[in-house]
Amino acid sequence: MKVVFASCGRLPLGDGDEESLVAALQRDGVDVEWQPWGGEVEADLVVLRTTWDYPDHLDEFLAWCAGVPMLANPLPVVRWNIDKSYMAELAARGVPVVPTAVVRPGEEPVFPDGEFVVKPAVGAGSRGAGRFTGHAEARAHLEALGVTALVQPYQSSVDAHGETALVFFAGDYSHSFHKGPMLAQGLAEAESGLYVEERLAGIEPTTRQVALAEQVLDVAAELLSLRRSDFLYARVDVVEGPDGEPLLLELELTEPSLGFKLTTGEAVSRFSKVIQEAASRG
Ligand SMILES: Nc1ncnc2c1ncn2[C@@H]1O[C@H](COP(=O)(O)OP(=O)(O)O)[C@@H](O)[C@H]1O
Ligand SMILES: [Mg+2]
């Protein structure tokens, strides 16, 4: 059984978070190989991992995804999830999300009162995300991006509490971790050029956060005519809204960091198991 973990030229062997996962798969006799996306792949399953340079090569990346055998998550999931405009679709289905306006190039933006965020609809690693109060600056940023962008009120709870990432494997809750605030005033600085360094820690979610994450996954599955268990991996990032209730900030079904270094070996075993089940169907 062969499993390929897809990476990119800048991080060909991943960022280190999957070391224990690779070891667990190898202990079970699985042939695991890291491979930067873009080339020929032969495998029973291809799992998207640190493919984080795709926002600059979107068409090429999706064409490659369409050509590989047995992609996880499946291609229709990736196509839908790679563009954060899905936030508006989830909101329309009643999911409590951070209020999100989608602004296409050339469209006149309507900015929320107070502080707000402008970020590319297709983006990873906080690149291109900026926090603004001034409309002129925000407009200049939209123009510089030159792509479809999201405008959201800045959730000030993030400064105090950051966000909670809830990880699911094959639709079942596994573990959670905490991420500190990423945006200072103005534009986020990606020192590596690929992603802004994150401050992470393990955390126990509240029952309301878990319930929201489950609702998000159920609605996403319904929109895609899939079952929740068809999401081999999922990360639901939630923040605290102005009334203290959790809101969805991001649903990551494409290439999320899964925080294995921040949790127990049980999470590794759970993912190893669902990977092997998926690969044996491949
Ligand atoms: N509306 C918002 N309010 C507060 N912080 C935000 C908001 N949108 C984004 N951020 C900050 O920017 C980071 C990156 O944004 P996110 O939507 O998660 O995109 P990605 O992680 O795919 O780059 C978040 O982790 C969060 O710290
Ligand atoms: Mg994020």
Side-chain angles (χ1 to χ4, degrees):
M1 181 184 288
K2 181 171 170 188
V3 174
V4 163
F5 282 1
S7 60
C8 65
R10 298 280 305 279
L11 283 172
L13 301 177
D15 69 350
D17 194 53
E18 274 92 359
E19 269 166 27
S20 52
L21 176 64
V22 169
L25 285 163
Q26 286 171 340
R27 271 198 304 278
D28 286 344
V30 181
D31 176 8
V32 191
E33 200 181 288
W34 282 97
Q35 212 175 300
W37 71 268
E40 281 280 312
V41 191
E42 268 180 55
D44 298 296
L45 183 72
V46 178
V47 187
L48 297 178
R49 298 286 69 229
T50 54
T51 57
W52 299 332
D53 63 357
Y54 67 76
D56 299 330
H57 317 273
L58 186 60
D59 293 342
E60 209 185 320
F61 178 66
L62 288 173
W64 176 81
C65 285
V68 301
M70 277 294 283
L71 187 71
N73 279 322
L75 183 65
V77 177
V78 170
R79 277 190 191 286
W80 178 77
N81 181 248
I82 213 161
D83 183 328
K84 295 189 178 83
S85 308
Y86 64 71
M87 292 287 283
E89 281 180 69
L90 295 175
R93 298 253 175 159
V95 177
V97 306
V98 171
T100 303
V102 178
V103 184
R104 293 188 177 74
E107 269 179 11
E108 193 51 35
V110 179
F111 296 124
D113 293 336
E115 266 196 306
F116 57 91
V117 172
V118 175
K119 57 190 171 187
V122 178
S126 302
R127 278 169 64 210
R131 172 177 172 183
F132 302 95
T133 42
H135 290 196
E137 266 178 288
R139 253 175 239 279
H141 181 51
L142 273 171
E143 261 172 49
L145 285 175
V147 292
T148 299
L150 305 190
V151 176
Q152 297 175 329
Y154 187 79
Q155 302 299 303
S156 55
S157 68
V158 171
D159 289 332
H161 308 298
E163 62 192 289
T164 300
L166 296 96
V167 178
F168 290 73
F169 296 127
D172 292 331
Y173 174 75
S174 171
H175 63 281
S176 294
F177 58 95
H178 172 265
K179 191 195 286 194
M182 300 298 292
L183 303 182
Q185 193 67 33
L187 198 58
E189 287 287 336
E191 272 163 28
S192 68
L194 196 57
Y195 58 90
V196 181
E197 208 57 54
E198 298 175 334
R199 292 178 300 283
L200 307 172
I203 197 176
E204 275 306 309
T206 64
T207 34
R208 289 208 299 268
Q209 287 174 329
V210 176
L212 170 59
E214 292 189 327
Q215 182 190 4
V216 168
L217 293 179
D218 285 339
V219 173
E222 198 184 299
L223 279 166
L224 289 158
S225 305
L226 294 171
R227 288 160 307 183
R228 197 162 110 186
S229 57
D230 293 328
F231 302 138
L232 197 72
Y233 53 85
R235 201 185 83 200
V236 186
D237 294 347
V238 303
V239 298
E240 193 183 292
D243 62 356
E245 289 298 314
L247 294 178
L248 177 70
L249 179 65
E250 188 179 12
L251 166 60
E252 280 264 22
L253 297 169
T254 307
E255 34 51 37
S257 292
L258 296 169
F260 289 115
K261 279 195 170 158
L262 307 167
T263 184
T264 60
E266 282 163 50
V268 167
S269 306
R270 286 191 279 266
F271 196 31
S272 168
K273 181 164 163 267
V274 298
I275 285 176
Q276 291 180 59
E277 282 166 4
S280 65
R281 290 193 298 268

